[in-house]
Amino acid sequence: MTFPVIGVVGGGQLARMMAPAAVALGFDLRILAEAPDVCAVPAVAQAPVGDYKNLETLREFARGVDVLTFDHEHVPSEHLQALIADGVNVQPRPDALINAQDKLVMRAAIERLGLPNPAWAAVASVADIAAFGETHGWPVVLKMPRGGYDGKGVKVLRSADDATAAADWFEAMSPLLVEEMVDFSRELSALVARTPSGESRAWPVAESIQVDGVCDEVIAPAPNIPAEVAEAAAAAALRIANELGVTGVMAAELFETPGRAPGFLVNELAMRPHNTGHWTMDGALTGQFEQHLRAVLDLPLGATDALGSIVVMKNFLGGANLDLFSAYAAALAAEPTVKVHSYGKSVRPGRKIGHVNVIASKNDDVTAARARATTVANIIRDGK
Ligand SMILES: Nc1ncnc2c1ncn2[C@@H]1O[C@H](COP(=O)(O)OP(=O)(O)O)[C@@H](O)[C@H]1O
Ligand SMILES: [Mg+2]
């Protein structure tokens, strides 16, 4: 057998959704699972349980894999450096990954590349935040540089008084990142993939809608986006991937800022398949999970064209329905064109447990496609 073995650190839904792509291509996908019951485990043949913060555990897992990649960005850099010293093929490499692990490192890198950042500063005290607010205006956005996700680790401060209330964050971490509160028209996602040899491809730039800091809906391509903004955003993401040496899939989260050249600012980077790229699973010639596997194996990348004029992805979070399958008959009957992706997770309020994709037909408008996706997602969430 000459098919490659891919080791994925982390057993969440992203690792789980790599499995069908691996099966289709004949690859052997293995997961280093945080616990026996994480949702990627039933999707693969081998899923040892272990702590990704333990170097010996990582070493043991990496033995016999052709490439090591990730479901999340939390593996410590020094462990990845040690694995590379052992001869393990780690993709993406830690010097690229650090830009997705640490928002201060990322802001400095974006600045170095001459790409558009919001006003930002590293702050080590409440007085530093107050000074930033006086210079750039209130409100400001305070962020934990490391460890945040789904809006946890992001705080809007309306005034110097709020800054005082943020003092407890400095006990957890210092310095923190402070940013101007960007007056954006919407959020965009520029999704790309790059191989170690340097081939790269971008998917059409999408619009993403967050609710309470959590990605709720994605529309691809971003409706009515000016062609020059879409091109510049995709070019910026490709440049980031190339210059930082990113491998695999990378999402650049952007703020669209009409009237403020070049029409967008960089928010943050993710170096793995991303929620804003789930639309590609059914809506693009090559989905992000297949592309990630191809990229980390240094294989030629697939075409990224959208398969419909509009593709809508809608997440469903845990709600009233505790038995998701009991709602499938009604959900699938409501919209035969919808594709359902369930993550095999137990239902807890507000927990991301699945998404649906809708590929709009030629004469469907954005509103109709969004309504179709929402109808199905709500039936599954509510059970009716
Ligand atoms: N500087 C900012 N100005 C306005 N809104 C922001 C700013 N930074 C973040 N946000 C909002 O908060 C959300 C979460 O922030 P982000 O830095 O992406 O953190 P996370 O790592 O939790 O995704 C963003 O998607 C956006 O809606
Ligand atoms: Mg984000």
Side-chain angles (χ1 to χ4, degrees), residues 103-138:
K103 289 176 180 174
L104 281 167
V105 172
M106 176 274 299
R107 282 276 168 251
I110 298 300
E111 191 161 295
R112 209 168 53 241
L113 296 178
L115 293 169
N117 264 333
W120 68 283
V123 287
S125 67
V126 168
D128 287 351
I129 301 173
F132 183 90
E134 293 315 308
T135 308
H136 297 282
W138 301 94

Side-chain angles (χ1 to χ4, degrees), residues 73-381:
E73 289 131 349
H74 309 315
V75 182
S77 283
E78 60 272 21
H79 290 357
L80 298 177
Q81 299 289 7
L83 293 173
I84 289 168
D86 291 350
V88 177
N89 176 19
V90 176
Q91 304 292 345
R93 297 174 73 85
D95 51 349
L97 192 64
I98 189 74
N99 292 279
Q101 294 175 320
D102 188 317
K103 289 176 180 174
L104 281 167
V105 172
M106 176 274 299
R107 282 276 168 251
I110 298 300
E111 191 161 295
R112 209 168 53 241
L113 296 178
L115 293 169
N117 264 333
W120 68 283
V123 287
S125 67
V126 168
D128 287 351
I129 301 173
F132 183 90
E134 293 315 308
T135 308
H136 297 282
W138 301 94
V140 301
V141 181
L142 186 68
K143 298 187 179 183
M144 297 263 190
R146 285 173 176 262
Y149 66 98
D150 286 351
K152 297 170 186 69
V154 174
K155 213 184 266 197
V156 175
L157 308 178
R158 312 240 146 242
S159 68
D161 288 343
D162 278 2
T164 312
D168 57 326
W169 276 25
F170 286 111
E171 279 158 37
M173 218 177 283
S174 184
L176 298 172
L177 169 63
V178 69
E179 298 174 356
E180 69 170 306
M181 175 93 173
V182 177
D183 183 20
F184 56 79
S185 52
R186 60 182 164 174
E187 295 187 66
L188 302 172
S189 168
L191 191 77
V192 300
R194 181 177 175 278
T195 68
S197 300
E199 187 194 358
S200 58
R201 286 188 188 248
W203 282 271
V205 171
E207 172 177 352
S208 78
I209 300 166
Q210 294 11 271
V211 174
D212 299 329
V214 181
C215 178
D216 178 56
E217 200 177 347
V218 173
I219 310 166
N224 304 316
I225 188 169
E228 64 277 13
V229 175
E231 277 161 34
L238 288 170
R239 196 156 157 250
I240 292 167
N242 284 316
E243 304 244 1
L244 300 183
V246 176
T247 54
V249 168
M250 184 196 85
E253 296 180 6
L254 310 173
F255 298 133
E256 188 181 42
T257 53
R260 182 170 169 180
F264 63 89
L265 302 172
V266 175
N267 175 31
E268 68 162 340
L269 306 178
M271 290 182 199
R272 48 173 171 74
H274 193 247
N275 199 158
T276 62
H278 290 349
W279 69 270
T280 64
M281 296 173 82
D282 304 299
L285 268 170
T286 309
Q288 64 168 348
F289 296 98
E290 175 181 346
Q291 196 82 307
H292 186 74
L293 300 184
R294 289 163 72 148
V296 298
L297 287 166
D298 210 12
L299 288 168
L301 298 177
T304 51
D305 311 60
L307 291 176
S309 51
I310 303 153
V311 184
V312 176
M313 188 283 325
K314 174 89 178 172
N315 279 341
F316 49 92
L317 307 184
N321 181 22
L322 300 180
D323 176 9
L324 298 184
F325 183 65
S326 69
Y328 270 34
L332 299 179
E335 291 298 345
T337 60
V338 165
K339 299 293 174 191
V340 176
H341 299 268
S342 249
Y343 305 156
K345 290 180 167 181
S346 57
V347 177
R348 284 204 300 266
R351 185 184 201 199
K352 250 185 224 174
I353 51 175
H355 70 270
V356 303
N357 281 333
V358 172
I359 321 302
S361 55
K362 277 273 176 277
N363 41 16
D364 232 356
D365 63 8
V366 177
T367 314
R370 291 181 66 183
R372 292 225 299 264
T374 299
T375 298
V376 178
N378 287 354
I379 291 172
I380 297 174
R381 181 193 63 197

